[in-house]
Amino acid sequence: MNFEQRIVDHFLDSARLKQEAAALLAPDIARAGQLMTECLLADGKILACGNGGSAADAQHFAAELVGRFERERPELRAIALTTDTSILTAVGNDYSFDAIFEKQVRALGVRGDVLLALSTSGNSGNVIQAIAAAQEREMRIVALTGKGGGAIGEMLSADDVHLCVPHTRTARIQETHLLILHCLCDTIDVRLLGEEG
C-alpha cells in the first residue's frame, strides 16, 4: 500500500468537500453568524453541545468566544454543555445519557439564546432532546450535521439554521464543521469590531 498517496488522497478529498460546502453553505453560515451576533448583542448566550469529536468542537467554539478568536475584544457569553463531568454523570446515571444536554438547556437557556447543536449523523439522541428543550424555551438553533441531516434536519424550523455538510464520512464532516465554526467566529468578530484595516 502506498501510504503517501493515501495521505494525499485524504487532503484532496477534504479540499474538494470544503469547496463544495463553501458554495452550498456560505449564505446559511452568514445567516447563522448574524443570528449569533444578534443574540450576543442582546446580552444572550450561546449553548453548545455534541458528542465525541463534536463535543470537542463545542468546547473549541465556546473557548474562541469566551477568550478570543483572532483579535482582542470583550468576552462573549458561550457555554459548552459537554464539560461539567458532575452534571453529565449525575444526569446520565439518574435519568439517561439522552438527557445530559436537555437538562442543562432547561436550566440555563432562555428565550433569545442560541443552541449550537453538533451531530455528524444528525441522529444523536441527546442532541435531539437538547434541540426540543431549546425550542420549548423559544431559543434559536444553529445545527451542524452531515449525512443528509438525519432527524435533526427534520425538526428544525424556518427560524433556525441547518448547516448540513454534503458528505457521508464522519472525518470529512468533522473537518468541515471545524472550518464552519471558524467562519462563525470570524463573522461574529467582524460584525462586532468591523473589518481589520
Side-chain angles (χ1 to χ4, degrees), residues 20 34 38 48 56 81 87 93 107 113 122 139 156 193-194 197:
E20 182 182 349
Q34 179 179 355
E38 290 170 356
L81 304 180
I87 291 175
N93 182 65
D113 287 346
M139 296 169 59
L156 300 175
L193 302 173

Side-chain angles (χ1 to χ4, degrees), residues 100-176:
I100 62 172
F101 302 137
E102 170 196 2
K103 289 282 190 184
Q104 294 183 78
V105 170
R106 291 186 190 284
L108 301 170
V110 297
R111 181 179 183 178
D113 287 346
V114 172
L115 177 68
L116 174 63
L118 298 107
S119 170
T120 57
S121 68
N123 292 313
S124 303
N126 53 14
V127 177
I128 289 169
Q129 289 190 201
I131 291 171
Q135 289 170 330
E136 291 172 11
R137 289 279 190 271
E138 297 184 30
M139 296 169 59
R140 303 281 292 278
I141 293 98
V142 174
L144 274 64
T145 68
K147 303 181 183 182
I152 289 173
E154 296 174 6
M155 68 187 299
L156 300 175
S157 76
D159 291 332
D160 301 321
V161 183
H162 186 198
L163 302 171
C164 182
V165 175
H167 210 280
T168 58
R169 189 170 182 180
T170 299
R172 294 291 95 88
I173 295 165
Q174 288 176 331
E175 291 159 6
T176 308

Side-chain angles (χ1 to χ4, degrees), residues 171-188:
R172 294 291 95 88
I173 295 165
Q174 288 176 331
E175 291 159 6
T176 308
H177 279 182
L178 180 57
L179 179 56
I180 290 170
L181 293 176
H182 282 163
C183 289
L184 291 172
C185 290
D186 178 70
T187 299
I188 291 167

Side-chain angles (χ1 to χ4, degrees), residues 11 14 16 41 50 53 55 59 61 66 73 77 84 90 104 116 123 130 133-134 136 164 172-173 176 182 195:
F11 273 84
S14 185
R16 278 191 298 269
L41 286 171
Q59 291 165 213
F61 183 76
V66 173
R73 53 149 165 73
R77 299 175 73 193
D84 190 321
Q104 294 183 78
L116 174 63
N123 292 313
E136 291 172 11
C164 182
R172 294 291 95 88
I173 295 165
T176 308
H182 282 163
E195 287 190 69

